[in-house]
Amino acid sequence: MIDYDTRRRPLIASLDALIKALKTLPGVGERTAARYAFHFLNAPPEEIRRLVTAIRDVRKNLRLCSACFNLTEIDPCEICSNAKRDQASFCVVETPQDLMSLEKTGLFRGVYHVLNGLLSPLDGIGPDDVRIPELIRRIREQGSGEVILALNPTAEGEATASYIKEKLKSAKFKVSRIAYGIPVGSALEYTDPLTLARSLESRQEL
């Protein structure tokens, strides 16, 4: 196996281009990118075809659900269109990854609303830059029920939760927040299902 020395000028342009492309992935540094590149170089052609096809298909087929803004191949998504889900119970999350993490607990049986971002005034991100207006409209159309704010315990998450709570002050909805069984500064995406389940069970009304 050839050892890719990052201190030297690359001799193979195509290999170097692949390594640079892999380095753009989250959490992938120079050496990890090099290991991936050499794995692809020595992998069976069928494995490479499956990978290329999977990447192409996910870009081609996925869209945002027009109701909850989760990633989906059908519109509305399977969760929103499931008659067995409680349509009056909303769980508000930041990203589709957070939704997937909560679904793994098997505890929440309502529907979701994915903001695809959080309020951040310092970065110029306001309510209209995330899916808050759509959330308020869905809730008002429903009339009554519960809103669970499952947002990361960060400054942006706190600001977003406070804003949503204020906007729902006059609505006939119980507004709660998942408990802080999740460490402050961490992300739902990397939290184990048991911790998420306990956080949901011990949520408190705001």
Side-chain angles (χ1 to χ4, degrees):
M1 178 66 67
I2 302 173
D3 182 25
Y4 184 84
D5 189 345
T6 60
R7 295 168 299 179
R8 292 185 175 183
R9 182 179 179 84
L11 300 178
I12 308 173
S14 57
L15 180 60
D16 183 58
L18 176 58
I19 291 171
K20 287 180 178 178
L22 292 169
K23 281 175 59 181
T24 64
L25 298 174
V28 176
E30 185 88 37
R31 290 191 175 277
T32 300
R35 286 198 299 271
Y36 289 163
F38 279 104
H39 171 78
F40 295 146
L41 186 63
N42 294 287
E46 182 57 32
E47 178 181 333
I48 302 302
R49 282 195 292 269
R50 286 198 303 269
L51 177 62
V52 172
T53 299
I55 294 173
R56 184 186 64 236
D57 288 350
V58 79
R59 291 297 302 268
K60 177 183 177 182
N61 299 333
L62 290 188
R63 70 190 88 170
L64 294 182
C65 172
S66 60
C68 72
F69 302 100
N70 184 30
L71 290 172
T72 182
E73 290 183 337
I74 59 174
D75 191 21
C77 70
E78 293 182 356
I79 295 176
C80 289
S81 58
N82 188 343
K84 295 181 179 180
R85 308 284 296 219
D86 183 359
Q87 300 294 321
S89 181
F90 294 86
C91 184
V92 182
V93 297
E94 178 186 354
T95 67
Q97 295 98 309
D98 294 340
L99 184 156
M100 292 172 64
S101 296
L102 286 167
E103 274 294 282
K104 288 178 182 177
T105 70
L107 183 65
F108 181 66
R109 298 307 301 164
V111 294
Y112 293 90
H113 189 88
V114 184
L115 297 176
N116 286 302
L118 294 173
L119 297 181
S120 181
L122 293 178
D123 297 319
I125 301 175
D128 292 334
D129 298 310
V130 294
R131 300 293 182 172
I132 292 179
E134 292 87 348
L135 169 65
I136 303 303
R137 183 169 61 250
R138 289 181 73 193
I139 290 171
R140 288 176 177 167
E141 289 175 352
Q142 183 63 37
S144 62
E146 180 183 18
V147 176
I148 303 170
L149 301 176
L151 302 175
N152 292 317
T154 60
E156 293 80 7
E158 292 291 334
T160 305
S162 296
Y163 180 86
I164 293 173
K165 177 190 173 185
E166 183 66 24
K167 295 293 290 185
L168 296 177
K169 185 182 296 183
S170 60
K172 296 179 180 179
F173 265 77
K174 174 184 176 182
V175 181
S176 59
R177 180 94 185 261
I178 59 173
Y180 286 104
I182 302 170
V184 175
S186 66
L188 291 177
E189 180 182 355
Y190 303 112
T191 303
D192 66 276
L194 178 60
T195 300
L196 283 170
R198 289 175 175 171
S199 296
L200 278 169
E201 290 173 332
S202 58
R203 64 183 182 273
Q204 299 176 349
E205 185 172 356
L206 295 176

